[in-house]
Amino acid sequence: MISFIVGIVALILGYLIYGKIAEKIFVVKPENKTPAVRIADGVDYVEMSWPRALLIQLLNIAGTGPIFGAIMGAYFGPAAFVWIVFGCIFAGAVHDYFVGMLSVRNDGASISEIVGKYLGKAPLYIMRVFSVVLLILVGVVFVYTPAQVLREMFTGGWTPEKKQIFYFIVLGVIILYYILATMLPIDKLIGRVYPIFGACLLIMALGLTVMLFITGEIRNVPEFAFQNLNPNQGKNIMAHIFPFLFITIACGAISGFHATQSPLMARCLKNEKDGRKVFYLAMILEGIIAMIWAAVAMGHFGTVEGLTKAGSAAVVVTRSSVDLMGWVGGILAVFGVVACPITSGDTAFRSARLTIADSLKFDQKPIKNRFVVAIPLFVIGILLVLFATQNTASFNLVWRYFSWSNQTLATIALWAAAAYLAKTGKQYWITLCPAVFMTVVVTAYFLSAGECLGPLLTKITGSADATYTIGIIIGLALAVALCSLFVSLIGIKQKNTIKD
């Protein structure tokens, strides 16, 4: 209980203190005209007040990551709280703020264009492909998971055939909504319903927290200790806290998906001074949501072992919501959970459309141009959804690839932000430190995880433990090498080489 409360307080203080430090280092210029003012087009560039932009940004970034990811991260015990708090304050919120503000300074540019400007042409071309692939994976995950939650919620006692029919009907409705949200001007659908869903999400999270205390289940949440509570520890290398916890809890701590979403609101801010209240604060709120769901997962099922026996994350969401808040409150809570992924999935496809359009310099004001870009994206997305629907293993594979690519994109975005700060003579340590740390995380994961190079390297090393150790060593070596190269080539020789 104390770990949970301290974590929530730390996140709030992080926004009030570290958020101001980030803002001071960036140097906002309230006198600058933002893209929403200078190049308004009535489709993607539309002025919005900061409270409205904040709620939209929160829904954009808060997919199932801070809920499903936090629940799966709870298998490790209260170590999940530590990663959420420190990751959110010093990495995730910093990442979101600097990417968002760099997009504001570059006419609402997509993350691939930002990376290309500050890291060079080769990263530009890589990021154009990488970010679109990630966005499609996000769209697929966020079509599948809300449909799964709704099936668990409303089809109790139904035959398997009826459950499947209901599931495919829900999938069709969600995809239809995604198409509309991708094509229509941002203020016509997203701008109107997102603030309502955002408020619903926050109210439901608050309701679950209150019920944890009223029922006394908050006492079941273990206090932080330097130990790994994952019951699979010693049986599976992916039960190690490092780097696997840091990949499992992505959106609740740091997420490259956010780098694809922040440009959406960068095109809608009225003033640069609103940046911290939109980009940094949205990430802090997402961290609080992740803390709450991690606490619910650990507290409601008594022990970590009880959580692992409860079933999938979707089952955990449904059971805990209904048990804690009754059927009415449970339905509202699940509605908030369902709204999260749906309102991230639609903007994932919208961001993919804008990323491709930015790379091709393809005007998106005419609706026919939007269809030209969007139709192939949805065809690919639907095929992947059908693949993920085959069985749980297929979905888990898509989820893990999404998680790794998500954190890799965040790492690249942090390096780009560090390059910007160095080239403008600013204190680049604020983004360099998390960039170095995340480089170790994604490299170690890629080399040791089962869905990546882990099995291949294990055949060479002879044991999974040896592969795990080698992955961490190579990750550390790569991070040190990149940091040294950065400081020597960018931090010293090229500072003050671009206009801010």
Side-chain angles (χ1 to χ4, degrees):
M1 179 173 71
I2 295 175
S3 297
F4 172 72
I5 295 173
V6 169
I8 297 294
V9 172
L11 285 168
I12 296 171
L13 292 177
Y15 168 71
L16 296 174
I17 299 172
Y18 205 70
K20 287 186 178 180
I21 293 174
E23 183 181 58
K24 185 177 180 180
I25 289 174
F26 183 79
V27 186
V28 296
K29 298 178 180 178
E31 69 277 7
N32 283 1
K33 289 186 177 181
T34 62
V37 176
R38 288 187 294 102
I39 48 179
D41 65 356
V43 177
D44 298 306
Y45 294 86
V46 179
E47 287 187 59
M48 292 184 183
S49 64
W50 77 260
R52 189 180 182 192
L54 167 63
L55 289 173
I56 295 174
Q57 173 74 1
L58 176 61
L59 265 294
N60 284 353
I61 65 175
T64 46
I67 301 168
F68 281 31
I71 290 170
M72 291 186 285
Y75 295 157
F76 294 89
F81 291 155
V82 179
W83 170 230
I84 291 170
V85 172
F86 283 89
C88 192
I89 295 171
F90 299 108
V94 168
H95 166 277
D96 291 9
Y97 176 74
F98 280 95
V99 169
M101 294 308 295
L102 285 175
S103 183
V104 171
R105 289 278 173 91
N106 288 278
D107 295 337
S110 301
I111 182 58
S112 56
E113 309 307 304
I114 292 171
V115 168
K117 179 173 181 178
Y118 299 114
L119 292 182
K121 286 188 176 180
L124 165 65
Y125 299 137
I126 293 172
M127 282 294 290
R128 281 175 174 172
V129 175
F130 193 78
S131 58
V132 171
V133 169
L134 172 65
L135 286 165
I136 292 174
L137 287 176
V138 169
V140 170
V141 168
F142 293 162
V143 169
Y144 177 89
T145 50
Q148 187 185 37
V149 170
L150 288 172
R151 180 173 60 183
E152 291 290 339
M153 186 70 192
F154 295 109
T155 61
W158 291 19
T159 64
E161 292 77 13
K162 288 183 178 180
K163 285 185 177 183
Q164 198 69 352
I165 292 172
F166 176 85
Y167 172 74
F168 279 109
I169 291 174
V170 173
L171 281 182
V173 172
I174 292 173
I175 291 171
L176 178 61
Y177 166 76
Y178 281 9
I179 293 172
L180 291 174
T182 300
M183 306 301 298
L184 292 175
I186 196 164
D187 60 332
K188 300 304 180 186
L189 181 58
I190 292 175
R192 291 180 180 177
V193 302
Y194 271 38
I196 298 173
F197 287 157
C200 176
L201 173 66
L202 293 174
I203 291 171
M204 290 309 103
L206 178 61
L208 287 169
T209 305
V210 170
M211 291 309 299
L212 276 179
F213 281 90
I214 290 177
T215 61
E217 291 183 1
I218 191 67
R219 291 192 293 269
N220 295 333
V221 178
E223 301 301 343
F224 178 73
F226 290 98
Q227 59 179 329
N228 181 359
L229 299 184
N230 195 314
N232 291 318
Q233 188 180 16
K235 305 174 186 176
N236 187 335
I237 65 167
M238 294 184 72
H240 286 291
I241 287 179
F242 189 90
F244 302 105
L245 172 62
F246 303 93
I247 296 292
T248 301
I249 301 181
C251 295
I254 178 173
S255 167
F257 172 61
H258 300 183
T260 68
Q261 299 302 288
S262 293
L264 293 179
M265 287 302 98
R267 302 180 186 212
C268 298
L269 286 192
K270 287 184 176 182
N271 195 296
E272 283 193 7
K273 67 182 181 181
D274 294 335
R276 182 172 69 94
K277 293 178 286 189
V278 172
F279 302 121
Y280 200 100
L281 180 55
M283 183 66 235
I284 294 296
L285 291 175
E286 185 174 19
I288 292 174
I289 292 169
M291 287 284 293
I292 291 169
W293 277 104
V296 167
M298 286 184 271
H300 186 60
F301 296 94
T303 63
V304 173
E305 288 79 5
L307 172 62
T308 59
K309 295 176 182 177
S312 68
V315 174
V316 171
V317 168
T318 305
R319 280 186 54 188
S320 56
S321 297
V322 173
D323 291 348
L324 285 171
M325 302 180 68
W327 278 105
V328 175
I331 290 173
L332 290 175
V334 173
F335 172 75
V337 173
V338 169
C340 262
I342 288 179
T343 53
S344 291
D346 59 2
T347 51
F349 282 108
R350 188 181 187 94
S351 296
R353 170 178 69 80
L354 292 173
T355 299
I356 294 172
D358 285 353
S359 4
L360 299 176
K361 303 295 187 289
F362 193 44
D363 184 14
Q364 291 295 280
K365 189 170 183 178
I367 192 167
K368 65 177 182 179
N369 290 5
R370 285 174 252 160
F371 272 110
V372 168
V373 179
I375 288 176
L377 293 173
F378 278 104
V379 170
I380 295 171
I382 290 170
L383 291 175
L384 285 173
V385 168
L386 294 177
F387 168 74
T389 299
Q390 291 179 5
N391 51 61
T392 302
S394 298
F395 169 73
N396 289 342
L397 182 65
V398 172
W399 176 272
R400 289 194 296 269
Y401 277 121
F402 151 67
S403 297
W404 176 79
S405 57
N406 186 36
Q407 300 298 63
T408 301
L409 193 150
T411 304
I412 297 171
L414 284 168
W415 281 109
Y420 158 79
L421 292 172
K423 290 180 178 182
T424 52
K426 297 175 181 176
Q427 300 178 55
Y428 55 81
W429 59 266
I430 194 169
T431 51
L432 179 63
C433 291
V436 170
F437 176 78
M438 291 305 300
T439 297
V440 181
V441 169
V442 298
T443 304
Y445 185 90
F446 182 73
L447 293 175
S448 58
E451 66 274 9
C452 298
L453 294 185
L456 177 61
L457 290 180
T458 298
K459 289 181 179 179
I460 298 173
T461 62
S463 77
D465 289 335
T467 297
Y468 172 71
T469 302
I470 290 172
I472 292 177
I473 292 173
I474 293 176
L476 287 169
L478 178 61
V480 170
L482 289 177
C483 185
S484 301
L485 184 64
F486 177 89
V487 171
S488 61
L489 295 182
I490 299 180
I492 297 176
K493 294 181 181 179
Q494 296 185 2
K495 70 178 180 179
N496 293 313
T497 58
I498 64 171
K499 183 179 179 181
D500 185 6

